[in-house]
């Protein structure tokens, strides 16, 4: 009789523990799904921002902005070529 009662109590405690673990797993799955949805929303917002940047920085949009504002843009002249001397760094200002 004592063995039967002990088996019954231990099986009930195991059943309660299994149900508790199952509940924790369900709650964690719910949290994971919420985070996944939040990440998907942030990703959609990021894609929209990237699209807006791509549209605003397209060459035709930049050319239109420059022509509408009547900006006097001149190309930069290239830097004069210097002979690089890697042994004597005092002659080369870029070797700092």
């Amino acid at each position: 009789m004592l063995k039967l009662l002990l088996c019954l109590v231990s099986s009930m405690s195991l059943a309660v523990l299994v149900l508790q673990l199952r509940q924790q797993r369900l709650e964690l799955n719910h949290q994971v799904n919420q985070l996944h949805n939040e990440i998907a929303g942030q990703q959609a917002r990021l894609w929209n921002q990237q699209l807006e940047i791509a549209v605003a920085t397209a060459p035709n949009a930049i050319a239109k902005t420059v022509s509408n504002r009547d900006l006097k843009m001149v190309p930069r002249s290239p830097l004069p070529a210097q002979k690089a001397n890697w042994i004597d760094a005092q002659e080369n200002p870029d070797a700092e």
Side-chain angles (χ1 to χ4, degrees), residues 3 9 11 13 23-24 26 29 44 51 68 74 77 79-80 82-83 85 87 92 96:
K3 288 182 182 180
V9 168
S11 64
S13 63
Q23 182 65 28
Q24 285 179 355
L26 290 174
N29 281 340
L51 178 64
N68 286 347
V74 294
S77 61
L79 294 174
Q82 295 180 355
K83 185 176 180 183
N85 189 358
I87 296 174
N92 190 354
E96 293 179 357

Side-chain angles (χ1 to χ4, degrees), residues 4-69:
L4 183 63
L5 185 62
L6 188 60
C7 286
L8 187 62
V9 168
S10 63
S11 64
M12 289 295 288
S13 63
L14 283 175
V16 168
L17 288 175
V18 168
L19 285 175
Q20 184 180 7
L21 288 174
R22 183 176 181 270
Q23 182 65 28
Q24 285 179 355
R25 183 178 57 89
L26 290 174
E27 288 174 0
L28 286 175
N29 281 340
H30 178 67
Q31 289 176 357
V32 166
N33 286 334
Q34 283 181 334
L35 288 174
H36 181 65
N37 290 339
E38 185 178 334
I39 290 171
Q42 294 287 337
Q43 187 70 36
R45 250 186 55 225
L46 179 63
W47 286 341
N48 286 336
Q49 288 174 350
Q50 288 175 342
L51 178 64
E52 290 174 10
I53 290 170
V55 167
T57 58
N60 57 355
I62 292 174
K64 183 179 176 184
T65 303
V66 169
S67 67
N68 286 347
R69 302 215 177 168

